[in-house]
Amino acid sequence: MDKPPKSAQEGRAEPVSAKIRARVEQANRRYFANDNISAFIEPGELEALLDEVAGKMKGVLESLVIDVDHDHNTQDTARRVAKMYLNEVFRGRYVAQPPVTEFPNAEYLNELMIVGPITVRSACSHHLCPIMGRLWIGLLPNEHSNLIGLSKYSRLAEWIMSRPQIQEEAIAQVADLLMSKVAPDGLAVVMEADHFCMHWRGVKDNATKMINSVMRGAFLKNASLRREFLALVNLKD
């Protein structure tokens, strides 16, 4: 006697996104747009996730009534967009933190250090429109601080920013990461950025920028130190 045919659902392979999501939820961890989930992605799954996203992106284009089968300009657009999201724009969600070279504070440096401007690129988590800006970091180390290589500030900032973000949360994440890495007496982060969700859509105002800051430790308590940092950060350049 012939076996009854399997249902379409039974015969369909579980999407790799569902497998990753199940691991995250089993660990009782968050997977918001600006969270890193690299610990839950197994070898080979990022490539499979790219295929899945490309397929779903093709569906989005088809729902926009674009003939992706015959339009020479959009035949490969779905896969290009998937690669852009996973390998570039949102890369900070899917890869582990970049390695950081640390040096002991052998000379017991305890004066203000400023790094910047660091060019940062992100995407707003509300509309997935670009955020393009600059970041400045101020540090007040102590004898127990770990000093890190200059380029690592840029790499760590890029890792945080390469996720769907809102600016206020993004620089708080940068501050938290640097506080854990360097353990300074004080930390200040200032960011200035253009938001294309305002330039490209909505009010279409291309002159407005957003500037915000996060102050930790001595920068929060010492008004003179805070003023010195802000005076040295020239936003007009």
Side-chain angles (χ1 to χ4, degrees):
M1 186 175 180
D2 292 337
K3 293 181 180 179
K6 289 184 178 181
S7 68
Q9 186 65 33
E10 288 174 335
R12 188 182 303 144
E14 184 181 25
V16 67
S17 62
K19 296 177 183 178
I20 297 169
R21 186 180 300 108
R23 292 185 203 119
V24 179
E25 292 177 345
Q26 187 174 14
N28 199 27
R29 291 279 297 276
R30 230 177 59 162
Y31 53 100
F32 288 1
N34 62 356
D35 289 327
N36 179 274
I37 58 169
S38 61
F40 304 98
I41 300 175
E42 296 183 354
E45 286 187 334
L46 200 56
E47 292 80 4
L49 189 61
L50 195 155
D51 291 337
E52 181 183 335
V53 173
K56 291 184 176 179
M57 185 57 63
K58 182 180 179 183
V60 170
L61 295 173
E62 290 171 341
S63 293
L64 291 170
V65 199
I66 296 173
D67 183 358
V68 296
D69 294 320
H70 301 98
D71 176 7
H72 59 283
N73 288 320
T74 58
Q75 282 181 4
D76 295 318
T77 294
R79 188 160 191 86
R80 284 193 293 265
V81 172
K83 288 176 68 176
M84 178 187 71
Y85 281 154
L86 268 68
N87 297 339
E88 298 177 87
V89 182
F90 301 159
R91 178 178 170 82
R93 298 198 75 234
Y94 306 108
V95 299
Q97 177 191 300
V100 174
T101 306
E102 299 180 4
F103 307 95
N105 188 2
E107 297 297 325
Y108 305 118
L109 302 174
N110 62 356
E111 300 292 338
L112 174 62
M113 299 165 50
I114 297 177
V115 180
I118 297 170
T119 300
V120 290
R121 302 169 184 85
S122 190
C124 114
S125 49
H126 297 156
H127 297 94
L128 303 186
C129 288
I131 298 173
M132 310 290 286
R134 302 182 295 171
L135 190 74
W136 290 262
I137 297 165
L139 286 160
L140 189 67
N142 59 55
E143 60 182 290
H144 305 294
S145 294
N146 293 319
L147 305 181
I148 65 176
L150 185 61
S151 67
K152 301 306 184 285
Y153 292 99
S154 296
R155 293 188 186 278
L156 291 175
E158 180 185 28
W159 184 63
I160 292 290
M161 299 303 299
S162 296
R163 309 170 191 180
Q165 287 281 12
I166 65 169
Q167 184 171 333
E168 303 94 312
E169 293 179 359
I171 70 166
Q173 286 184 319
V174 171
D176 289 342
L177 181 59
L178 290 175
M179 285 295 290
S180 69
K181 289 292 177 189
V182 183
D185 282 342
L187 176 76
V189 183
V190 169
M191 180 173 168
E192 173 197 63
D194 292 296
H195 289 246
F196 283 70
C197 55
M198 285 189 65
H199 295 355
W200 199 18
R201 56 161 298 282
V203 295
K204 296 184 174 66
D205 182 348
N206 63 1
T208 300
K209 297 179 185 291
M210 180 175 179
I211 303 170
N212 66 325
S213 66
V214 170
M215 304 287 170
R216 301 281 171 82
F219 286 93
L220 192 60
K221 300 171 185 176
N222 187 329
S224 296
L225 178 65
R226 189 163 60 248
R227 283 194 297 269
E228 180 183 1
F229 168 71
L230 293 174
L232 291 171
V233 172
N234 188 349
L235 297 178
K236 294 180 181 179
D237 286 346

